[in-house]
Amino acid sequence: MGIPLVSSALCHSSSNGVFTSREFIRTELSASNSYSLGLKFKYQQFHTGGSTMCRTLCCSRRKPRGEERVWRRKTTPQNVDFPPRLPKKKKKPFPIPFKEIRQAAKEDKKLALMGIEKPLEPPKNGLLVPDLVPVAYEVFDAWKLLIKGLAQLLHVIPVHGCSECSEVHVGQTGHLIQDCQGPTSSKRRGSHAWVKGSVNDILVPIESYHLFDPFGRRIKHHTRFDYDRIPAVVELCIQAGVDIPEYPSRRRTNPVRMLGKKILDRGGYLEEPRPWSSAESSSLLEFDTYRASERFPCPPLSDIPEISQETMDAYQTVRKGVRKLMRKYTVKACGYCSEVHVGPWGHNAKLCGSFKHQWRDGKHGWQDATVDEVFPPNYVWHARDPGGPPMRNQLKRFYGKAPAVVEVCMQAGAHSPDEYKPMMRLDIVIPDNEEANLIV
């Protein structure tokens, strides 16, 4: 539909021979909400003998409607960098900016000085979140399935671990990349000392103290042996609603009341039940990685692809479920070492031996934990041809990496998730040793 334009111009000459042109532009548009009305005045001066053409611009802007949206295609990167290795002689960065932590502490202190109780929502007040109880059971079942699947796959897929450092390789033989960080690596010029690996080399054992009441008495250094240590993922599931007879947990019906950092009402202290004996706790082996390969025999070769895909799905379920639970339930991690504690506060056991532990008397520097600290991915080099020649140090910039569980399942026949393909660098052609020096 055309836009009618009505223009009227008035021109007159001044005494100094300069023509003055005043132009009035009026736009007449339809009474629609899709266009905006425009009204413009223009004042121009033209010298004698110059151009007397008047330029008029009429601009109309179309307003976007409410139901119209712009959809952008979500692009995935072709290649991504490997996760950086954090230096051991430096504190880990805070997951939450320190300014936000300090601001929240100031607000809590301000409410405490005013005598106002701290507003707490489940699970910060000790009550369960009903919507996360099914998620906790799903993560717990997937965790047991993950251990069983890895124990069965390790009978078929060879795994090697370095006896001097934490390097792991999935393949027929260990790689030749000289990146060992062990104490005697200088004698071997950075080469790894490969030995046969186990499930603990694939799933890094991150353990935590089991607490009957997370809001009860804190663990002291001299009372640390009174508490059992179990996988941190299992302890997170227990506090989120999973009931395990061997590891009971207190389920509150009345919320915890706090004034600043002081607990006003925690419902009293309850006597913890007696620990179970080893004969009664035979079912605990289902979610423990210790000697898991001995408990599960080698499956038939025809079942390997199905088991690998189930293990891959279980790994994805555990990782997504842990991330969902950690958005509500508090998990603390030491900023200097790999210690993890599930609960509102960290324990007081003086077991930290990392950077400048003498200044802290061996106490841990607690801060909010991340998913990778509770459930580490444990990245390994991705072998495109597990039965081919070993990886060489000269070509390490052309190789990719993947989580150890994903690498084991892929070599057993499972489909690789799309989120890990950019790090595997599948689109990079690996050159020969002679050609590597010619590539810039």
Side-chain angles (χ1 to χ4, degrees):
M1 179 179 178
I3 302 177
L5 177 62
V6 179
S7 177
S8 61
L10 298 175
C11 298
H12 59 87
S13 61
S14 58
S15 60
N16 55 2
V18 178
F19 288 93
T20 304
S21 174
R22 179 174 298 171
E23 190 176 26
F24 170 72
I25 301 97
R26 182 182 62 210
T27 58
E28 296 180 358
L29 304 177
S30 60
S32 175
N33 293 331
S34 301
Y35 296 93
S36 61
L37 297 178
L39 187 61
K40 184 178 181 182
F41 293 93
K42 190 173 184 182
Y43 183 82
Q44 293 179 337
Q45 287 185 350
F46 299 92
H47 292 275
T48 306
S51 175
T52 59
M53 182 178 61
C54 298
R55 294 182 180 181
T56 305
L57 296 177
C58 179
C59 300
S60 62
R61 182 173 57 88
R62 189 172 185 271
K63 296 181 179 179
R65 296 179 180 177
E67 63 273 6
E68 294 183 1
R69 297 179 182 177
V70 179
W71 297 96
R72 295 181 180 178
R73 178 180 295 180
K74 184 179 180 181
T75 59
T76 57
Q78 188 177 10
N79 295 305
V80 296
D81 296 333
F82 299 148
R85 289 187 177 182
L86 299 177
K88 295 182 179 180
K89 295 184 178 181
K90 190 176 180 181
K91 190 178 183 296
K92 301 176 186 177
F94 287 97
I96 302 175
F98 188 73
K99 291 183 178 180
E100 297 182 6
I101 299 176
R102 184 170 55 185
Q103 184 64 25
K106 288 183 179 179
E107 294 178 358
D108 294 344
K109 184 177 181 179
K110 183 178 180 180
L111 293 177
L113 294 177
M114 297 172 59
I116 302 175
E117 294 185 10
K118 185 177 180 180
L120 299 175
E121 297 180 357
K124 306 298 182 181
N125 57 1
L127 304 180
L128 292 178
V129 181
D131 296 339
L132 294 181
V133 174
V135 178
Y137 273 98
E138 184 181 8
V139 172
F140 182 67
D141 295 337
W143 174 259
K144 294 189 294 184
L145 183 61
L146 177 61
I147 296 176
K148 179 180 178 182
L150 285 177
Q152 292 176 332
L153 293 178
L154 288 189
H155 291 288
V156 182
I157 305 300
V159 175
H160 302 274
C162 182
S163 60
E164 298 291 333
C165 66
S166 59
E167 182 73 11
V168 179
H169 182 70
V170 182
Q172 297 296 331
T173 57
H175 61 72
L176 302 180
I177 300 176
Q178 300 174 353
D179 57 352
C180 183
Q181 302 292 334
T184 60
S185 59
S186 59
K187 299 180 181 179
R188 292 174 277 107
R189 296 182 179 180
S191 300
H192 294 279
W194 297 113
V195 296
K196 185 179 180 181
S198 61
V199 178
N200 284 339
D201 295 321
I202 304 298
L203 288 178
V204 180
I206 301 297
E207 295 183 343
S208 174
Y209 287 105
H210 169 65
L211 299 177
F212 171 72
D213 185 7
F215 291 86
R217 297 182 177 88
R218 298 183 68 174
I219 300 176
K220 304 295 183 180
H221 184 73
H222 62 279
T223 62
R224 63 187 186 277
F225 296 110
D226 298 339
Y227 302 88
D228 295 333
R229 290 183 65 87
I230 60 177
V233 176
V234 179
E235 177 63 18
L236 180 61
C237 295
I238 291 175
Q239 295 190 17
V242 175
D243 292 327
I244 302 178
E246 293 82 358
Y247 293 110
S249 181
R250 181 178 180 180
R251 307 302 182 192
R252 281 184 166 83
T253 56
N254 297 325
V256 175
R257 297 168 51 199
M258 294 184 62
L259 181 64
K261 296 183 179 181
K262 182 180 180 181
I263 298 180
L264 299 179
D265 182 15
R266 58 164 49 95
Y269 294 100
L270 296 182
E271 183 180 358
E272 298 185 9
R274 63 178 182 86
W276 290 63
S277 61
S278 59
E280 297 173 333
S281 59
S282 59
S283 61
L284 301 181
L285 299 177
E286 296 181 1
F287 54 84
D288 193 4
T289 59
Y290 178 70
R291 304 181 70 175
S293 300
E294 300 178 4
R295 301 197 305 265
F296 300 100
C298 179
L301 296 180
S302 59
D303 298 341
I304 293 298
E306 182 180 358
I307 295 176
S308 62
Q309 190 61 44
E310 292 178 355
T311 306
M312 181 77 78
D313 297 339
Y315 175 77
Q316 294 291 95
T317 302
V318 172
R319 190 160 185 85
K320 293 179 182 178
V322 168
R323 182 181 291 107
K324 190 178 297 184
L325 293 176
M326 289 181 62
R327 292 174 183 171
K328 292 290 185 179
Y329 289 88
T330 304
V331 181
K332 298 293 183 180
C334 180
Y336 302 92
C337 66
S338 60
E339 182 70 10
V340 171
H341 183 78
V342 183
W345 309 283
H347 59 75
N348 289 335
K350 303 177 182 179
L351 300 175
C352 186
S354 295
F355 176 61
K356 294 184 178 180
H357 63 90
Q358 301 89 346
W359 293 11
R360 293 173 277 110
D361 194 20
K363 294 183 180 180
H364 295 283
W366 297 114
Q367 63 187 34
D368 292 334
T370 60
V371 180
D372 291 343
E373 291 175 327
V374 179
F375 189 53
N378 192 16
Y379 290 100
V380 299
W381 292 103
H382 172 58
R384 299 187 186 181
D385 186 9
M391 297 181 178
R392 299 186 177 275
N393 189 56
Q394 296 80 3
L395 304 177
K396 65 179 180 179
R397 60 173 176 163
F398 302 101
Y399 301 134
K401 285 190 176 183
V405 178
V406 176
E407 182 68 18
V408 171
C409 296
M410 283 184 58
Q411 295 189 16
H415 299 286
S416 61
D418 295 337
E419 56 183 306
Y420 300 114
K421 288 183 179 180
M423 192 176 294
M424 294 180 186
R425 300 181 178 178
L426 302 176
D427 59 335
I428 296 180
V429 179
I430 300 178
D432 296 332
N433 292 337
E434 294 79 9
E435 299 175 347
N437 298 328
L438 302 177
I439 300 176
V440 180

